Amino acid sequence: MSIYAQRVKKIQDLMKKNSIDLFIVPSFDIHLSEYPAKCFLEREFVSGFKGSAGTLLIFLKEAFLVSDGRYEIQMKKELEGSLIQGVVSSDFTQLLKDKLKNSMSVAIDYKKLSISLAKTLKSILKTKKAKLRDLNLVNELWQDKEALPSEKIFEQRALFVGESRENKLKKIRELLKEKKANAHFISSLDDIAYITNLRGLDVSYNPVFLAFLYIDENEAFLFVDSKKLDLKTRQRLENDKIFIKEYEECFSFISSKKALKILIDPLKNTLFIARLFKKAKNKLIKDTNPSTRLKACKNAKELLNLKNDMLSDGLALCRFFIWFERSLKKGDLLSELDIDEKLREFRAKNELYLCDSFATIAACNENAALPHYRTKKDSFSYIKPEGLLLLDSGAQYQNGTTDITRVLALGKIKKEHKKDYTTTLKSLISMSEAIFPKDINLVLIDSIARSKMWSEGFEYKHGTGHGVGYFLNVHEAPVVLSYYAKINDDNKAKIGVLSSIEPGIYREGKWGVRLENLAYIDEVSFLKDSEFAEFYQFKTLTLCPFEKKIIYKSLLDEKELKWLNAYHSLVFKKLAPHLKTNERKWLEQKTSAL
């Protein structure tokens, strides 16, 4: 019996002792982070599933892990022998509805349950007269979990700060007045980093730190391990009326606040936090964090820095590709791990590089059929001179966050490879060229990219794009280009919104193709005088050539070919002046007109 099957059995034994019929283990920490620090990875500890999204439901005689289509193949592999069945769905509540029986006792840790989801759960349980309990059974099993991370916190350099803390706090307080709130409580780490212009390394790949933030009409309190802050940073924060309290003081502080109107985001705060405020007779005004809306739209200074950031990343990628092609030609034995390490080495030569923005996906042939495949020291493949290599990677630079996917030819290319690659490219071009009205919900334009796929009988089980932070999380809410997502009033087309565009085709056991650029929304200059609406479009930031060897020119129409040649011309124009002669010749060949 695997270690994960043993853990499921132990949980079920504890459930019997506590009269629990269903125990739910979410992916989150108390900050509801998509990528929690290692000490909070309870779902992974119990199940062995390492995907970033998923909910574990343990019943007395069976167990299920529900995750979205990105992880369908990964679940099959990682859950083998665990006694857990993988279920593909964007929402675990459908399985809950199917399995729920009358008068069941359902337990979940309220410190990992959002206010919003708690409302949904209670509504579902009410139909069967089931009860929800606050309980964490994993703590009894996981005795040797890591301590809370203790990495130093640092301030953003003035050159790269998009807006001062003072201005951000002023805007937030103006919004609080509109909502008739006395104060605002924030749990989400990226919002806190954005408001304070501080960054940290508590969470892998995300430059954030463990903290809570409380803002009222006159001052703010940052709950954080004070040892992470140097004296000068602390003094500058206090000059901006942001006062430091220890991380552990947060809950007693909340309990001390009486009869106030507190603005709190129900998607980004836990039921545990909400109950503390309510016990102290506070009224909760439930609305999106103002900072979530503010940081989604990158301002002119941030966009300028991002353009420089993309230039640096494009140069690193070109130099990596030159090295890779030479290594292949020489017959060097390379593994997917080598690809990951070497690409990081090229990026790290930039003085502004901090870390990767997510775990690099270097996947050759059948491995690329897993959209979120990840190489590990005990599980990887060697690169052979045949088929395709999918490379999805990104970096955290002090002047921005990058995320890019390219597919390389390793050797002889099949007609099917070319068709899949070209269809994916057509899909990317469709979204890159799309024109849409201001404030349209971005969920609704997903079909613009997919229509090229659908017309060929293809579909992919992930979004076409996600929001990207500015030297912050590579996945940033509320922006999402996906018809799988629910309509969200904050997910609208606005100037400065930064998103990925990343369609794909995945053939299980064979290969996968995904192509990705980052782009921001801007106005359409030639439609400025339209009497019907204000129109927007995406403007591409990523600077890196596509692989012409895998393109079927005959499948591209005149408009698509024009876009591709114009993009390659721009890539050469921007990157060439910074390259050595031999590197420039390589890029010239890669970007020549098709």
Side-chain angles (χ1 to χ4, degrees), residues 315-382:
L315 291 169
L317 284 158
C318 285
R319 287 166 177 145
F320 164 79
F321 290 143
I322 291 169
W323 167 84
F324 180 67
E325 287 181 5
R326 285 176 180 167
S327 298
L328 274 185
K329 196 172 183 179
K330 288 190 295 181
D332 293 345
L333 181 62
L334 298 174
S335 72
E336 294 166 334
L337 284 173
D338 296 325
I339 301 299
D340 181 3
E341 292 169 7
K342 195 68 179 180
L343 180 52
R344 188 178 304 110
E345 182 183 313
F346 276 102
R347 281 185 165 128
K349 290 178 182 179
N350 186 323
E351 65 174 0
L352 300 180
Y353 172 88
L354 180 72
C355 62
D356 288 354
S357 57
F358 56 95
T360 294
I361 300 171
C364 58
N365 297 315
E366 67 271 15
N367 292 340
L370 285 75
H372 276 231
Y373 172 77
R374 183 176 176 181
T375 54
K376 293 172 282 187
K377 289 184 179 180
D378 60 348
S379 177
F380 61 88
S381 296
Y382 284 97

Side-chain angles (χ1 to χ4, degrees), residues 217-272:
E217 295 103 320
N218 303 306
E219 56 190 5
F221 295 93
L222 181 64
F223 297 88
V224 67
D225 181 350
S226 62
K227 296 190 292 295
K228 297 178 180 181
L229 290 163
D230 62 42
L231 184 58
K232 287 184 179 179
T233 302
R234 185 164 180 162
Q235 288 172 341
R236 283 192 287 267
L237 288 166
E238 290 180 355
N239 288 340
D240 291 328
K241 293 188 176 181
I242 301 176
F243 301 100
I244 305 303
K245 288 184 175 289
E246 293 301 325
Y247 184 72
E248 294 80 8
E249 291 181 67
C250 181
F251 303 147
S252 59
F253 178 89
I254 290 173
S255 299
S256 74
K257 295 297 169 184
K258 307 289 183 183
L260 296 173
K261 295 177 181 177
I262 312 290
L263 178 65
I264 194 166
D265 191 332
L267 292 172
K268 295 189 173 187
N269 284 282
T270 65
L271 183 59
F272 174 81

Side-chain angles (χ1 to χ4, degrees), residues 85-360:
Q85 300 175 52
V87 177
V88 176
S89 176
S90 58
D91 186 355
F92 77 88
T93 59
Q94 185 56 54
L95 177 71
L96 176 62
K97 290 174 186 176
D98 294 342
K99 294 286 182 179
L100 193 66
K101 294 179 181 177
N102 287 333
S103 303
M104 269 189 163
S105 179
V106 180
I108 189 170
D109 185 351
Y110 284 6
K111 287 184 178 179
K112 297 173 181 65
L113 176 63
S114 73
I115 299 167
S116 177
L117 182 55
K119 183 179 178 181
T120 301
L121 279 182
K122 288 178 179 179
S123 176
I124 293 169
L125 298 185
K126 189 176 180 180
T127 63
K128 296 286 187 178
K129 297 182 180 179
K131 293 182 179 180
L132 189 66
R133 290 175 55 184
D134 179 15
L135 192 64
N136 187 327
L137 299 175
V138 182
N139 285 338
E140 295 192 42
L141 270 66
W142 198 1
Q143 301 293 332
D144 58 346
K145 68 169 64 176
E146 293 185 19
L148 291 175
S150 56
E151 300 289 337
K152 292 293 182 184
I153 297 170
F154 58 94
E155 287 193 88
Q156 276 188 286
R157 287 166 55 178
L159 182 64
F160 307 129
V161 170
E163 189 173 8
S164 69
R165 286 188 286 260
E166 185 181 16
N167 282 351
K168 290 175 182 177
L169 287 168
K170 183 180 178 182
K171 287 180 179 179
I172 290 168
R173 288 185 174 117
E174 286 171 355
L175 289 165
L176 292 183
K177 282 183 182 178
E178 289 179 19
K179 298 291 180 181
K180 297 182 180 179
N182 305 114
H184 177 33
F185 184 81
I186 308 167
S187 295
S188 43
L189 304 184
D190 58 334
D191 284 291
I192 294 169
Y194 167 80
I195 295 166
T196 61
N197 288 334
L198 300 175
R199 297 294 187 268
L201 291 165
D202 282 350
V203 180
S204 298
Y205 310 115
N206 299 314
V208 297
F209 50 94
L210 296 185
F212 297 98
L213 182 63
Y214 179 89
I215 302 170
D216 64 22
E217 295 103 320
N218 303 306
E219 56 190 5
F221 295 93
L222 181 64
F223 297 88
V224 67
D225 181 350
S226 62
K227 296 190 292 295
K228 297 178 180 181
L229 290 163
D230 62 42
L231 184 58
K232 287 184 179 179
T233 302
R234 185 164 180 162
Q235 288 172 341
R236 283 192 287 267
L237 288 166
E238 290 180 355
N239 288 340
D240 291 328
K241 293 188 176 181
I242 301 176
F243 301 100
I244 305 303
K245 288 184 175 289
E246 293 301 325
Y247 184 72
E248 294 80 8
E249 291 181 67
C250 181
F251 303 147
S252 59
F253 178 89
I254 290 173
S255 299
S256 74
K257 295 297 169 184
K258 307 289 183 183
L260 296 173
K261 295 177 181 177
I262 312 290
L263 178 65
I264 194 166
D265 191 332
L267 292 172
K268 295 189 173 187
N269 284 282
T270 65
L271 183 59
F272 174 81
I273 295 289
R275 284 159 66 95
L276 285 180
F277 275 118
K278 285 184 176 179
K279 273 186 181 179
K281 308 298 181 183
N282 294 292
K283 179 183 177 183
L284 299 184
I285 300 172
K286 297 172 186 176
D287 196 10
T288 302
N289 287 337
S291 50
T292 298
R293 296 183 177 122
L294 292 172
K295 67 182 169 59
C297 299
K298 280 53 181 177
N299 62 32
K301 185 178 179 182
E302 290 166 339
L303 287 171
L304 178 60
N305 283 325
L306 280 163
K307 288 173 183 176
N308 294 328
D309 161 65
M310 298 293 171
L311 173 65
S312 299
D313 206 51
L315 291 169
L317 284 158
C318 285
R319 287 166 177 145
F320 164 79
F321 290 143
I322 291 169
W323 167 84
F324 180 67
E325 287 181 5
R326 285 176 180 167
S327 298
L328 274 185
K329 196 172 183 179
K330 288 190 295 181
D332 293 345
L333 181 62
L334 298 174
S335 72
E336 294 166 334
L337 284 173
D338 296 325
I339 301 299
D340 181 3
E341 292 169 7
K342 195 68 179 180
L343 180 52
R344 188 178 304 110
E345 182 183 313
F346 276 102
R347 281 185 165 128
K349 290 178 182 179
N350 186 323
E351 65 174 0
L352 300 180
Y353 172 88
L354 180 72
C355 62
D356 288 354
S357 57
F358 56 95
T360 294

